[in-house]
Amino acid sequence: MQSLHLAGLSPTELTEFVEGLGEPAYRARQIFAGLHHRRLRSFAEMTDVPKELRTKLDEHATASTLTVESRYISSDGTRRYLMKTHDNFPVETVFIPEKRRDTICFSSQSGCPLQCTFCLTAQLGLLRNLTAGEIVEQIIIALNDAYGVLVNAPRAANLVGMGAGEPFLNFESLMRAIRIMAEPDGLHIVSRRVTVSTAGVVPSIRKLATILDRPHLAVSLAAPTDELRNELMPINKKWPLRELLGACEDFQKSLKPGERFTFEYVMLDGVNDSDEQARQLANLLNRHELRAKVNLIPHNPAEPLPYQPSLMKRVETFREILESKGIHASVRKPRGRDILAACGQLAARDANPSQTVSDFAPAKVESLAI
Ligand code: SAH
């Protein structure tokens, strides 16, 4: 049995837990700051807390449950962490350095139950949902590795829930993690710095529409017709385009000023990237009066996926057709392809065997602070 992971508790819950141990509430504030503001992953390091309490905490709870197995660094600076849970399931997180603001892409599930034919994660199947603590800890590990332990992040990172899994099939843990990460006394990554991507879980889109303080929404389309979408994203058989876009219309009505809502469209050479399909997509979105921007993602290939990325010229023409019909569109630059860190490439694979953790000298792992 895994002991209670304190990184998954809200400040109120942590206070209740600490009071249950017979300790005053202010200790909970110290522990919360230790975990989330200072990003410590053991009670032993919380030297502002008395030693007896640290021992007591170790008996009843844990400050970390993930271990980093491997770290891969791309030629473009992107870092992929392959971690495992206490019960041995893979978890992957990607740190993407950018000029203005770095982005951390986290996973919501180990594996994924959806069977999108263009995504490598699908090949794992669903292993299990991640807990809120496991979601939060991914971000702590990535920040510590990128910036150093006890070093304030040089700027607020953006988070994207676009790693392994379908976040909206793990809705409660996802939203709990996002609330905890927003705490001003902790990581302080507010929800408008977070974007969550769904393959189209309609009830969760409707639920998100009722929540005031929420992350940005991205919806993966991949096809302009039910016929093709059924084939590429079998979830479409459960929630076809009419229902999905109906939920998106209602979500659009709930948008506050400055809130973003986007569609993602993976570009597969010769499959969904023709001029005709661009017109169909634009007409579909216009029919539903959806004003969201479309983000075109050139396919990230990986063996044994049966697709190739559309040529950049094709992607650009597709984008121009959308624009000519009043749909704003942009192209996502692929990052970390060489280390299997790009969208749809997360499947707990070794990218470069020379970098597995077994090759890390223990001291080196420590100096990585992960
Ligand atoms: N399950 C969620 C989030 C994970 S995928 C979802 O489907 O939205 C994040 C994005 O990557 C999605 O838009 C997905 O369509 C896209 N994607 C998946 N596999 C890809 C691949 N091989 N190349 C490019 N994009 C891919």
Side-chain angles (χ1 to χ4, degrees):
M1 221 343 244
Q2 167 72 358
S3 54
L4 185 64
H5 188 191
L6 298 193
L9 299 188
S10 69
T12 314
E13 290 163 337
L14 190 60
T15 305
E16 281 165 18
F17 170 76
V18 163
E19 285 176 347
L21 295 179
E23 299 285 339
Y26 75 91
R27 295 288 180 212
R29 288 195 290 278
Q30 285 177 311
I31 298 166
F32 191 88
L35 291 168
H36 302 279
H37 183 68
R38 301 167 70 200
R39 305 192 302 265
L40 302 175
R41 297 181 58 235
S42 74
F43 301 126
E45 292 164 283
M46 299 182 187
T47 46
D48 51 342
V49 172
K51 196 152 189 304
E52 305 77 70
L53 176 53
R54 282 184 263 153
T55 310
K56 214 186 315 181
L57 288 172
D58 272 326
E59 282 161 17
H60 291 88
T62 179
S64 75
T65 63
L66 298 176
T67 42
V68 178
E69 294 271 283
S70 313
R71 183 184 74 158
Y72 306 98
I73 303 184
S74 162
S75 55
D76 70 17
T78 300
R79 297 173 178 211
R80 174 166 68 101
Y81 306 93
L82 173 54
M83 317 179 193
K84 70 168 192 238
T85 61
H86 66 92
D87 49 353
N88 249 326
F89 290 110
V91 176
E92 280 170 284
T93 312
V94 180
F95 179 87
I96 307 154
E98 274 159 314
K99 261 207 202 78
R100 288 187 43 224
R101 211 176 272 289
D102 301 324
T103 299
I104 297 170
C105 177
F106 66 86
S107 296
S108 52
Q109 299 182 311
S110 181
C112 184
L114 306 182
Q115 295 181 328
C116 305
T117 56
F118 47 80
C119 180
L120 204 60
T121 313
Q123 314 224 337
L124 293 175
L126 176 64
L127 301 171
R128 74 162 166 80
N129 274 337
L130 298 182
T131 62
E134 287 165 340
I135 295 176
V136 173
E137 203 179 335
Q138 289 176 59
I139 282 83
I140 291 175
I141 287 172
L143 289 173
N144 281 350
D145 183 52
Y147 304 136
V149 190
L150 293 178
V151 178
N152 277 337
R155 51 206 167 196
N158 287 332
L159 303 184
V160 292
M162 299 186 183
E166 169 48 49
F168 279 9
L169 291 178
N170 189 16
F171 195 79
E172 297 309 322
S173 297
L174 170 81
M175 294 306 287
R176 162 185 277 271
I178 289 173
R179 279 195 304 273
I180 293 171
M181 292 190 286
E183 284 294 333
D185 297 331
L187 287 170
H188 202 186
I189 303 176
V190 293
S191 55
R192 71 185 153 77
R193 297 235 159 277
V194 185
T195 303
V196 175
S197 174
T198 179
V201 179
V202 164
S204 300
I205 294 174
R206 295 198 174 282
K207 201 181 297 169
L208 192 71
T210 67
I211 298 174
L212 228 50
D213 192 10
R214 62 188 176 201
H216 298 295
L217 174 69
V219 176
S220 303
L221 284 180
T225 62
D226 278 324
E227 197 189 356
L228 182 59
R229 199 164 185 271
N230 283 342
E231 204 180 289
L232 300 178
M233 300 179 71
I235 191 178
N236 194 67
K237 293 178 194 155
K238 185 152 187 180
W239 292 295
L241 281 168
R242 191 176 43 80
E243 272 184 57
L244 173 58
L245 297 181
C248 289
E249 280 176 47
D250 290 342
F251 187 82
Q252 181 168 268
K253 288 184 201 132
S254 78
L255 287 177
K256 298 186 295 277
E259 213 181 335
R260 264 195 326 270
F261 157 44
T262 49
F263 289 110
E264 291 157 287
Y265 192 96
V266 56
M267 302 276 306
L268 310 166
D269 181 37
V271 175
N272 66 355
D273 63 352
S274 70
D275 290 356
E276 173 61 15
Q277 284 159 325
R279 285 190 289 271
Q280 283 174 334
L281 178 61
N283 293 342
L284 181 69
L285 299 183
N286 283 332
R287 233 177 11 254
H288 285 270
E289 296 182 10
L290 289 163
R291 297 274 144 261
K293 192 166 135 185
V294 177
N295 204 206
L296 301 172
I297 316 175
H299 175 63
N300 296 306
E303 283 290 326
L305 300 178
Y307 305 104
Q308 288 305 315
S310 308
L311 297 176
M312 274 331 272
K313 227 176 85 207
R314 182 92 297 272
V315 176
E316 192 43 42
T317 307
F318 197 94
R319 192 188 71 77
E320 281 165 11
I321 294 173
L322 294 180
E323 292 275 352
S324 74
K325 290 180 163 281
I327 305 285
H328 287 301
S330 59
V331 180
R332 186 180 299 169
K333 192 168 162 230
R335 299 290 304 264
R337 268 185 183 169
D338 56 339
I339 54 158
L340 293 176
C343 302
Q345 291 188 317
L346 301 183
R349 288 226 186 136
D350 245 359
N352 169 2
S354 71
Q355 289 210 6
T356 58
V357 94
S358 55
D359 292 324
F360 286 164
K364 195 167 167 212
V365 173
E366 246 169 46
S367 73
L368 293 175
I370 46 183

